Amino acid sequence: NVKSLNAYFKAIPLQKKINDEKGLSYTYNNIGLIYSKQFNFKKAIEYYDMALKLRKKNNDQLGLSATYNNIGIVQKDQKNYKEALINYKASIAIDSSLNEIYGMSGTYNNIGLIYSELNDLNTALVYYHKALKIREQVNDKRGISNSCNNIGSVLHQQKKYDEAIINYERALNIGLEIGTKDLI
């Protein structure tokens, strides 16, 4: 989004002027997100690296976890699965030390996606179930629906059709309950 990028680029000199390194790290991270969504992975990594540097300097653990996860997503999108897993595991380690379970659920899901891509379906299921368990604990209905859909997909690939249908139906019913078209 060009408007968002322009706003972030205008914020950078102001944040530097007032020495707002935490805000600057979020700006860099958000610029990385936009470039990632535009499939400009080189630029995304460039800005994520700038965010990481500031977040390490300021010991912003939650910010570090988010940026490691975002880098993992870019690496996954480029099919650099080994690098993606390294970044996801760095994110999980931080979230685990902070007991930040919501962040862990998303990262577990992302790890499951990688193992699905690698056709290691049993390992994918392990991570999808870890994500689902957390999402159920915090009653994240959107996340539960997503996890059930991912689990259904793996079970479908494993030709476990009855179990797949159960998970797909649960995902669909939650999507209908909360009224989100993309889940439906």
Side-chain angles (χ1 to χ4, degrees):
N1 179 315
V2 175
K3 286 184 180 182
S4 295
L5 274 177
N6 287 337
Y8 286 128
F9 286 128
K10 286 179 183 176
I12 291 171
L14 300 172
Q15 289 169 315
K16 287 181 178 180
K17 184 176 182 178
I18 63 170
N19 200 29
D20 179 12
E21 289 186 339
K22 186 170 184 174
L24 187 58
S25 74
Y26 279 83
T27 297
Y28 289 153
N29 188 74
N30 290 338
I31 291 170
L33 283 169
I34 292 169
Y35 280 131
S36 176
K37 289 180 181 181
Q38 294 176 343
F39 304 102
N40 187 341
F41 300 129
K42 184 178 178 183
K43 282 287 198 188
I45 293 294
E46 177 184 329
Y47 280 91
Y48 287 146
D49 284 344
M50 288 190 283
L52 274 180
K53 183 178 176 184
L54 286 175
R55 288 174 169 183
K56 285 178 183 177
K57 178 182 174 189
N58 293 294
N59 198 28
D60 177 5
Q61 294 298 300
L62 279 177
L64 277 169
S65 173
T67 302
Y68 281 128
N69 191 55
N70 291 340
I71 292 170
I73 291 168
V74 169
Q75 296 293 349
K76 178 190 73 66
D77 288 345
Q78 295 180 97
K79 302 196 183 314
N80 296 331
Y81 299 129
K82 184 178 177 182
E83 291 297 317
L85 286 172
I86 289 168
N87 283 283
Y88 288 150
K89 289 181 180 180
S91 177
I92 289 283
I94 293 168
D95 284 344
S96 181
S97 73
L98 299 173
N99 199 30
E100 176 54 44
I101 62 171
Y102 189 81
M104 289 171 61
S105 72
T107 306
Y108 282 142
N109 186 72
N110 291 343
I111 293 171
L113 290 170
I114 289 198
Y115 284 109
S116 286
E117 288 283 321
L118 294 172
N119 209 31
D120 184 347
L121 301 180
N122 290 328
T123 304
L125 276 177
V126 167
Y127 283 98
Y128 287 149
H129 279 289
K130 285 183 177 192
L132 176 61
K133 182 178 178 182
I134 292 170
R135 289 167 169 179
E136 288 173 334
Q137 287 173 352
V138 299
N139 198 31
D140 172 11
K141 292 190 181 228
R142 182 177 185 78
I144 293 167
S145 178
N146 181 265
S147 289
C148 289
N149 188 59
N150 289 339
I151 290 167
S153 177
V154 170
L155 293 169
H156 182 240
Q157 290 175 64
Q158 292 178 326
K159 300 185 184 340
K160 297 177 181 176
Y161 300 119
D162 291 339
E163 291 177 66
I165 289 171
I166 290 168
N167 281 277
Y168 283 144
E169 285 179 341
R170 184 174 181 206
L172 175 61
N173 288 333
I174 293 170
L176 289 168
E177 175 189 333
I178 61 177
T180 54
K181 291 181 182 179
D182 62 316
L183 294 176
I184 296 167

